[in-house]
Amino acid sequence: PDWVQTWKKTHGVRWKKIKGERKFFPALDVATAQRNTARLIDQYTHKYVFNSDTSNIHPTYNGSYSLQPGKRQYHIKKGDNKSRVSVNSMVNGTGCFNNSYLIVKNYKRDLGAERSIVKEILEKRIKWGNPMKGGYERRTYLCENGTELLIYRNKTAWVTKKIHEDYMRLFNEMVIEKYGNVQILLILDNFSGHKIDYSQFP
């Protein structure tokens, strides 16, 4: 309708089209990558094939986009960035080896509402730089089922190269502890935070 166009022009509103990642790659490239990955997987026992991926979660996101006022115009935003949490899951082909971690902007010692699932904090803490200026802090919690939960804190609540490298170092130790000095296949996407030197992990 005309009034919508007038309103958009008055407030400087722009519509933003959201596309899936697949649309950015030629279908032939995707198909080739799928075949190559399948060929690699066939060379390993399933318990030695791992996949790691990160999802971004907005706990307060209600399924719609909101208009946020800027200096000169409104911006369309998805959810509340202040409450954003990233969840990374690592699991092998049999499902018997799985490990996850969270990345948050801020956290309390008792994790607030998650108090019931977190029994206590272990005295395992590492800090690299300032979490609010590009660095990160990692703390380890012990859940009631006996598993350890890693929680990273940084400025963006998203995977950085330093966080990924730190987790890869821990993951490498876990694999050696469980399977010994075997070679595993790790499947990752081409997110920029994943682009580190993997030769340091045997």
Side-chain angles (χ1 to χ4, degrees):
D2 292 339
W3 70 267
V4 174
Q5 302 301 327
T6 303
W7 178 79
K8 285 172 58 181
K9 187 175 181 181
T10 302
H11 296 284
V13 173
R14 295 178 302 166
W15 299 117
K16 183 178 180 182
K17 186 176 181 181
I18 307 297
K19 294 184 178 180
E21 292 182 0
R22 193 180 182 99
K23 293 183 181 293
F24 292 105
F25 300 95
L28 185 61
D29 291 353
V30 174
T32 301
Q34 289 173 336
R35 285 194 300 271
N36 291 340
T37 304
R39 195 176 297 116
L40 274 172
I41 291 174
D42 286 341
Q43 299 175 21
Y44 290 81
T45 305
H46 285 182
K47 69 178 181 179
Y48 298 143
V49 178
F50 289 81
N51 182 47
S52 178
D53 200 12
T54 306
S55 296
N56 191 228
I57 298 174
H58 295 266
T60 59
Y61 178 48
N62 63 3
S64 62
Y65 292 87
S66 60
L67 288 171
Q68 304 291 337
K71 291 183 178 180
R72 296 184 178 179
Q73 62 185 12
Y74 281 79
H75 301 283
I76 299 175
K77 291 187 177 180
K78 180 180 178 181
D80 180 11
N81 286 332
K82 293 181 180 179
S83 62
R84 184 173 65 197
V85 176
S86 294
V87 182
N88 182 282
S89 295
M90 171 78 77
V91 66
N92 70 349
T94 62
C96 63
F97 186 115
N98 55 76
N99 186 265
S100 302
Y101 66 81
L102 302 178
I103 306 178
V104 299
K105 286 188 175 182
N106 296 291
Y107 58 72
K108 298 179 181 179
R109 184 180 178 88
D110 59 8
L111 286 184
E114 279 69 36
R115 199 175 305 170
S116 60
I117 62 171
V118 177
K119 194 172 183 180
E120 60 182 287
I121 185 173
L122 302 180
E123 289 304 319
K124 296 179 181 178
R125 188 180 305 187
I126 185 171
K127 190 172 183 180
W128 182 84
N130 187 332
M132 295 296 102
K133 294 183 179 179
Y136 68 85
E137 181 181 355
R138 168 169 52 84
R139 293 169 74 176
T140 307
Y141 291 81
L142 182 65
C143 298
E144 290 187 351
N145 63 3
T147 61
E148 292 185 1
L149 174 63
L150 302 173
I151 297 186
Y152 288 90
R153 178 171 70 105
N154 74 343
K155 184 178 181 181
T156 60
W158 195 237
V159 183
T160 63
K161 289 183 179 181
K162 287 296 181 182
I163 287 180
H164 181 63
E165 188 171 34
D166 180 72
Y167 179 69
M168 284 292 100
R169 192 172 293 108
L170 294 174
F171 172 66
N172 187 64
E173 293 172 1
M174 286 186 283
V175 170
I176 292 174
E177 182 180 348
K178 188 172 181 66
Y179 298 123
N181 289 315
V182 299
Q183 200 164 33
I184 60 107
L185 176 64
L186 175 61
I187 302 171
L188 299 165
D189 59 23
N190 63 348
F191 176 66
S192 59
H194 293 159
K195 296 177 181 179
I196 63 173
D197 177 18
Y198 291 93
S199 64
Q200 59 186 309
F201 310 117

